[in-house]
Structures are given as C-alpha cells and as structure tokens.
DNA sequence: CGGATTTGACCTGCGC
DNA sequence: GCGCAGGTCAAATCCG
C-alpha cells in the first residue's frame, strides 16, 4: 500500500479572492492606509509583490518539505505493517499445525494462507480450504474461505465480529487445541445465504478474535441495503465504513476522525473474486477517478466552508501584513 | 410472543 | 471398527 501517490498533499491554496498577487495594483483604499510609509505607490507595490513572491516560495518549499515527511511516514508505516503481517503469518502457522491436526486441516494452512492483523482493527483475507472436511467435495472446491483477525478488549467475552452482516449463532464448541470456545454462525440476513462464520479467540492472545468465513454472500450488506449501493456512507462529509461483500472487502477511511488510519481499516478480507494469494490488509485502492473524486470532495468541502476560507484569508493577510512590519515575524 | 442464544446430543470424517 | 474431534441440530432458555 502506498498512500502518498493517492492523494496529493500539496495544498492548492486558491487565494485569488484575496487579490494579493495579480491584482495588487488595484488595492482597496483602506488597504493602503496601514502600509503607507511615505513611499510612492509604485515602489510600495514593487516591494509588496516581491515580498509576496518570496513568501509564496517559502510556503511552497515548506509544503514540499511536509509532503516529503508524509511520504517517509507512509513508508515507515508500510514497513512496520508488513513486519506485523509476517509475524502474524508465522504465528498462525504455528498455531494451526498441531501434530494431531486432521489431514484436511493440516494441509490447509500451507501455502496461500495470508494472515494479517491490525493492532486495533480487523483485517485480512485469504482463500484456503480450512475446515472443509465435513462438506461434500464440490463445496470443498468452491467454498471461499477467508480469515479475519480482530483485536478486541480482553474484557469483552462476546465472540462478536461486526462485519456488516447479520449472523445467527447455531453452535459453540470447545476445540482441542484452544481452551477458548469456538462459536458457529450462519448468515441470517438472507435465508438462502450459504455463508458460515466461525469465531474463536487465539490461544496466544485472547484479545484477538479469529473469524473464519466460509462461502460467499449472495446479498448485499446491511449497510448496502440501507444506503443504496454506496459502501461509503457519506463521501463528502463524514466518510467511513467497512463492509464485506461478495466482491471483496471495502474499506473507507474516515479522514475526519482523529483515529489512526489503522483503526479505520478493517475486515479486509474475502477477496472472493480471485483465488490467488492476495496481499491482505490493503485499504481499498480505488480507481484514479474515485481517488480524484475524493480529493475534489475534500477540497470542495474545505473551500465551501466559510469558516475555513475566512480563517485562511485572515492567516494569509495577517502574515503579509506582519511581514511588512520590521521587527515582527 | 417471536427471534436469538445456549447447550447437550448427535452426525460425520479421519487416524489408528 | 473404534475412538476422537469438529461440525450441526434442535429443544430449552433468554430477552426485548
């Protein structure tokens, strides 16, 4: 994942309404009052323009610097995340290879078993054949298996993984290799939906729930039902949702919240459209059109906000004003 | 009262 | 064939 190319971090501060650059000669009368230092108009304007250009260069250099810092941060985040993914994969292999595992089980977790975990959210997916021994052969082949790791509060004893679907618990069992009970769920949102889910805490870290999904939903999520086909509840204002559907996981980041991006992405599983081994845990990489749309939405939200534009105008004019006063800044 | 959850019994597949 | 373990069923129970 690479966030930096997705969104340009350069601020396109459209300060035209302020008329400080291209319309400096047409300054308002009151504007000249506080800068009248006895110089003639053309000299003053020259000085002001030069100062503005200088300031603009400075701000754009600062902007570049911040962009670079953000890129570095993203890279560091990616590196750390991949380390976590590796670590979890190793742990999952260990956990799922007891000596007396059933034949079908032990063969499942070799190979394309992508397991991921986020520190506080959910994650991941893969297509494995896990737990398929009970099913007829054709189901074994076609059933899509994915696994999601969800970190919960240790005090939270419920085996509930919120993923946008409605589940009905039909059984619970204590398994041999894990003292924590495993809960069995069926999708109850659509009566004909064949999807099943197993949820169990990991033996190593009981704050981590492992949800194993089996099959494909033949219906939309509840969120899809209530808000149309859009998986994002409000792209322009308060965007954030996570959901699963038959075509794969959907992650929408809520940029208005202070939580870390990690918290906002979850349930990145069920890449059912393909059986190939996927790199899990990617936030949904939208098409360039959608990315552009999101950026435009953000920009328009900001520019339409009178408070923001007023504050921006005040800040810029304030800095310009102060720069023309010696001893300040 | 109806839907969801719990839980013991039963079923099925696998290893020995 | 037997025993074990995981998965499912369904009656009992809970809860809003």
């Amino acid at each position: 994942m690479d966030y930096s190319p997705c969104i340009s971090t350069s601020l396109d501060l459209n300060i035209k309404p302020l008329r400080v650059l291209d319309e400096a000669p047409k300054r308002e009368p009151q504007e000249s009052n506080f800068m009248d230092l006895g110089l003639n108009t053309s000299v003053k304007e020259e000085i002001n323009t030069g100062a503005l250009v200088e300031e603009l260069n400075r701000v754009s250099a600062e902007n570049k610097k911040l962009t670079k810092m953000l890129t570095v941060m993203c890279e560091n985040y990616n590196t750390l995340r991949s380390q976590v993914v590796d670590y979890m994969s190793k742990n999952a292999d260990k956990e799922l290879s007891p000596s007396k595992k059933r034949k079908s089980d032990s063969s499942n977790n070799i190979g394309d078993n992508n397991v991921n975990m986020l520190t506080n959210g959910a994650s991941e997916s893969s297509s494995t054949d896990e737990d398929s021994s009970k099913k007829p052969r054709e189901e074994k082949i076609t059933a899509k298996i994915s696994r999601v790791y969800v970190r919960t509060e240790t005090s939270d004893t419920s085996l509930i993984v919120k993923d946008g679907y409605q589940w009905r618990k039909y059984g619970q069992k204590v398994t041999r290799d894990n003292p924590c009970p495993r809960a069995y769920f069926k999708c109850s949102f659509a009566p004909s939906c064949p999807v099943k889910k197993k949820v169990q805490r990991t033996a190593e870290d009981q704050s981590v729930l492992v949800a194993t999904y089996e099959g494909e939903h033949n219906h939309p999520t509840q969120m899809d039902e209530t808000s149309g086909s859009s998986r994002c509840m409000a792209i322009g204002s308060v965007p954030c949702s996570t959901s699963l559907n038959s075509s794969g996981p959907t992650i929408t980041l809520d940029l208005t919240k202070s939580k870390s991006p990690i918290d906002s992405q979850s349930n990145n599983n069920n890449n059912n459209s393909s059986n190939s081994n996927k790199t899990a845990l990617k936030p949904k990489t939208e098409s360039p059109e959608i990315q552009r749309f999101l950026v435009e939405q953000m920009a328009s939200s900001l520019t339409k906000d009178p408070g923001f534009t007023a504050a921006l105008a005040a800040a810029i004019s304030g800095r310009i004003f102060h720069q023309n006063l010696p001893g300040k800044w």
Side-chain angles (χ1 to χ4, degrees), chain A residues 32-40 44 47-48 324-326:
Chain A
S32 62
N33 288 342
F34 60 79
M35 287 185 193
D36 193 352
L37 303 173
L39 299 167
N40 71 45
K44 279 189 287 182
I47 291 168
N48 281 342
N324 284 289
L325 295 178

Side-chain angles (χ1 to χ4, degrees), chain A residues 104-105 107-116 123-132 139-148 211-216 246-249 268-280:
Chain A
S104 55
D105 283 352
S107 62
N108 290 334
N109 299 294
I110 300 166
D112 65 342
N113 188 21
N114 284 345
V115 178
N116 288 306
S123 81
E124 174 332 270
S125 84
S126 67
S127 293
T128 70
D129 291 332
E130 196 215 21
D131 300 323
S132 54
E139 280 187 45
K140 272 192 204 177
I141 293 160
T142 57
K144 302 291 192 335
I145 311 285
S146 63
R147 186 168 299 152
V148 177
T212 306
Y213 294 85
E214 196 174 321
E216 281 180 277
S246 58
S247 63
N268 189 16
N269 73 342
N270 278 6
N271 285 305
N272 291 333
S273 55
S274 165
N275 287 329
S276 64
N277 200 6
K278 305 267 181 180
T279 303

Side-chain angles (χ1 to χ4, degrees), chain A residues 238-277:
Chain A
V238 187
C240 187
S241 69
T242 63
S243 68
L244 289 164
N245 62 16
S246 58
S247 63
T250 297
I251 294 162
T252 312
L253 296 179
D254 183 352
L255 298 173
T256 66
K257 290 187 176 162
S258 58
K259 278 175 127 185
S260 74
I262 293 174
D263 291 343
S264 302
Q265 63 187 25
S266 66
N267 290 341
N268 189 16
N269 73 342
N270 278 6
N271 285 305
N272 291 333
S273 55
S274 165
N275 287 329
S276 64
N277 200 6

Side-chain angles (χ1 to χ4, degrees), chain A residues 149-162:
Chain A
Y149 285 74
V150 181
R151 183 174 285 282
T152 64
E153 296 293 325
T154 2
S155 55
D156 182 12
T157 54
S158 65
L159 292 168
I160 294 170
V161 176
K162 289 175 186 168

Side-chain angles (χ1 to χ4, degrees), chain A residues 4-220:
Chain A
S4 44
C6 301
I7 299 170
S8 167
T9 51
S10 302
L11 282 175
D12 181 15
L13 299 177
N14 184 0
I15 53 172
K16 264 191 179 172
L18 296 173
R19 301 183 178 193
V20 291
L21 279 177
D22 53 345
E23 295 185 28
K26 302 178 194 166
R27 271 203 330 251
E28 304 296 315
Q30 71 269 23
E31 203 177 340
S32 62
N33 288 342
F34 60 79
M35 287 185 193
D36 193 352
L37 303 173
L39 299 167
N40 71 45
T41 318
S42 62
V43 173
K44 279 189 287 182
E45 283 166 1
E46 235 173 74
I47 291 168
N48 281 342
T49 309
L52 285 173
V53 169
E54 196 179 316
E55 174 63 9
L56 196 62
N57 289 338
R58 197 190 62 78
V59 168
S60 93
E62 201 170 301
N63 191 8
K64 274 181 199 167
K65 207 165 109 185
L66 288 168
T67 304
K68 204 177 283 183
M69 284 168 67
L70 189 61
T71 308
V72 171
M73 269 174 62
C74 286
E75 282 167 3
N76 289 341
Y77 166 73
N78 289 334
T79 310
L80 279 172
R81 215 206 46 194
S82 61
Q83 284 172 7
V84 170
V85 168
D86 287 346
Y87 176 74
M88 287 306 297
S89 299
K90 281 172 195 165
N91 273 4
D93 287 345
K94 249 188 277 171
E95 169 192 346
L96 294 165
S97 56
S99 57
K100 269 200 86 178
K101 254 313 194 204
R102 291 191 172 204
K103 193 176 167 185
S104 55
D105 283 352
S106 55
S107 62
N108 290 334
N109 299 294
I110 300 166
D112 65 342
N113 188 21
N114 284 345
V115 178
N116 288 306
M117 190 193 81
L118 287 175
T119 55
N120 202 8
S123 81
E124 174 332 270
S125 84
S126 67
S127 293
T128 70
D129 291 332
E130 196 215 21
D131 300 323
S132 54
S133 59
K134 64 181 168 49
K135 289 292 170 192
R137 288 291 154 194
E138 59 272 15
E139 280 187 45
K140 272 192 204 177
I141 293 160
T142 57
K144 302 291 192 335
I145 311 285
S146 63
R147 186 168 299 152
V148 177
Y149 285 74
V150 181
R151 183 174 285 282
T152 64
E153 296 293 325
T154 2
S155 55
D156 182 12
T157 54
S158 65
L159 292 168
I160 294 170
V161 176
K162 289 175 186 168
D163 53 18
Y165 290 101
Q166 191 177 335
W167 300 94
R168 192 180 75 82
K169 189 176 179 180
Y170 66 89
Q172 180 165 315
K173 195 92 177 176
V174 177
T175 56
R176 211 174 60 85
D177 54 341
N178 192 337
C180 304
R182 175 185 294 172
Y184 299 89
F185 297 89
K186 281 176 182 171
C187 182
S188 63
F189 189 57
S192 62
C193 183
V195 179
K196 288 175 191 169
K197 176 171 86 168
K198 288 177 285 190
V199 180
Q200 188 174 31
R201 298 184 180 279
T202 60
E204 288 88 356
D205 185 354
Q206 301 200 356
S207 66
V208 177
L209 287 173
V210 187
T212 306
Y213 294 85
E214 196 174 321
E216 281 180 277
H217 292 280
N218 53 15
H219 58 89

